[in-house]
Amino acid sequence: MKGLHIGEAARRCGSSTDTLRYYERIGLLPPPGRDAGGRRVYSERDLGRLRFIRRAQSVGFTLDEIGNLLRFRENPARASREVRSLAMRKHDEVRETLTTLQQVETELALLVRLCPGDGDECPILEQLDQQT
Amino acid sequence: MLVEIYYSPYCPHCRGARDTVDRTLASLGLTATVEERNVLDHLDAAVAAGVRMTPSLAVNGRVAVAGPFDPDRVAAALRDGDR
């Protein structure tokens, strides 16, 4: 057998078997292949789609948006104007999120380095706390 | 050229940072506006400049030296900033 059964596929993608069946039911995932016993078998391509769904969900995309982006992902050259526009808009949103995350990361990196010791007391951070 | 020294209180390597910058500017024959900024008072500006540790030297708004001010690295940053 080439591919993974539903339990292992779900585990690899940090999901549940119910979720995978749900994605299939609403059309986010195409029906996977079946083994001789009729059990679902997920290919590497299916797993790639699943990982994309999980990542997109984790950054706040709706399932409807994800469905459209998956169509774009499958065939960027043939995507409709609407789907291409959605992809560009989401790309802009992700870039803005990255910029914000970078600022937060820099600030936290700076703050944790202000008191390099492992003690509980940090006069610098206490001073900062008093300012806010 | 704008040169900003980001420091924090109780930071041992921050002491002498200003002297290193002043001496290096003088030895290179460069003039610059030098400002010392406590990161606790200028946290947003520090983050915008990319300051991740103290001391840090920002030249024209971007961090050019992070950590203890090695005179050679400070000189290279100031020469670059003056171009």
Side-chain angles (χ1 to χ4, degrees):
Chain A
M1 181 192 77
K2 208 172 179 183
L4 299 174
H5 285 134
I6 191 166
E8 181 61 14
R11 194 188 64 76
R12 293 241 188 133
C13 299
S15 197
S16 71
T17 55
D18 283 346
T19 302
L20 265 59
R21 290 192 198 94
Y22 174 67
Y23 289 159
E24 183 183 330
R25 197 160 62 244
I26 63 174
L28 274 188
L29 278 182
R34 301 273 177 163
D35 65 12
R39 299 169 70 196
R40 289 175 172 80
V41 177
Y42 291 86
S43 67
E44 191 51 46
R45 190 183 181 93
D46 293 327
L47 294 181
R49 287 174 72 102
L50 265 172
R51 291 189 193 103
F52 178 84
I53 294 167
R54 302 298 290 172
R55 286 195 296 267
Q57 276 191 304
S58 75
V59 293
F61 293 5
T62 66
L63 289 180
D64 193 41
E65 289 170 335
I66 293 170
N68 282 316
L69 291 173
L70 277 170
R71 279 189 278 285
F72 184 60
R73 190 174 183 264
E74 290 292 312
N75 197 338
R78 299 189 123 210
S80 68
R81 187 188 298 260
E82 289 76 18
V83 169
R84 186 176 297 275
S85 167
L86 170 69
M88 289 168 65
R89 202 166 64 246
K90 286 295 164 187
H91 182 220
D92 287 345
E93 284 178 24
V94 169
R95 287 173 61 151
E96 285 169 19
T97 302
L98 280 176
T99 302
T100 305
L101 282 175
Q102 184 61 59
Q103 287 168 342
V104 173
E105 193 274 339
T106 300
E107 184 162 336
L108 291 176
L110 175 58
L111 290 174
V112 297
R113 283 181 173 130
L114 289 181
C115 273
D118 53 7
D120 288 332
E121 291 183 9
C122 179
I124 299 170
L125 295 185
E126 283 165 13
Q127 181 185 332
L128 189 66
D129 198 36
Q130 285 165 7
Q131 291 171 2
T132 55
Chain B
M1 174 167 59
L2 173 63
V3 174
E4 292 156 294
I5 300 165
Y6 284 95
Y7 70 95
S8 53
Y10 316 106
C11 151
H13 292 294
C14 295
R15 298 180 197 117
R18 175 67 189 254
D19 280 351
T20 303
V21 171
D22 286 343
R23 273 189 277 110
T24 308
L25 281 169
S27 71
L28 294 173
L30 298 174
T31 55
T33 302
V34 181
E35 294 180 3
E36 294 174 82
R37 297 187 190 279
N38 180 340
V39 291
L40 301 182
D41 295 330
H42 300 276
L43 197 50
D44 285 351
V47 169
V51 174
R52 300 173 64 83
M53 63 179 71
T54 55
S56 280
L57 181 74
V59 179
N60 298 326
R62 295 303 306 165
V63 167
V65 176
F69 284 10
D70 173 74
D72 290 340
R73 291 176 63 208
V74 170
L78 295 175
R79 271 195 297 265
D80 282 351
D82 193 55
R83 281 181 192 157

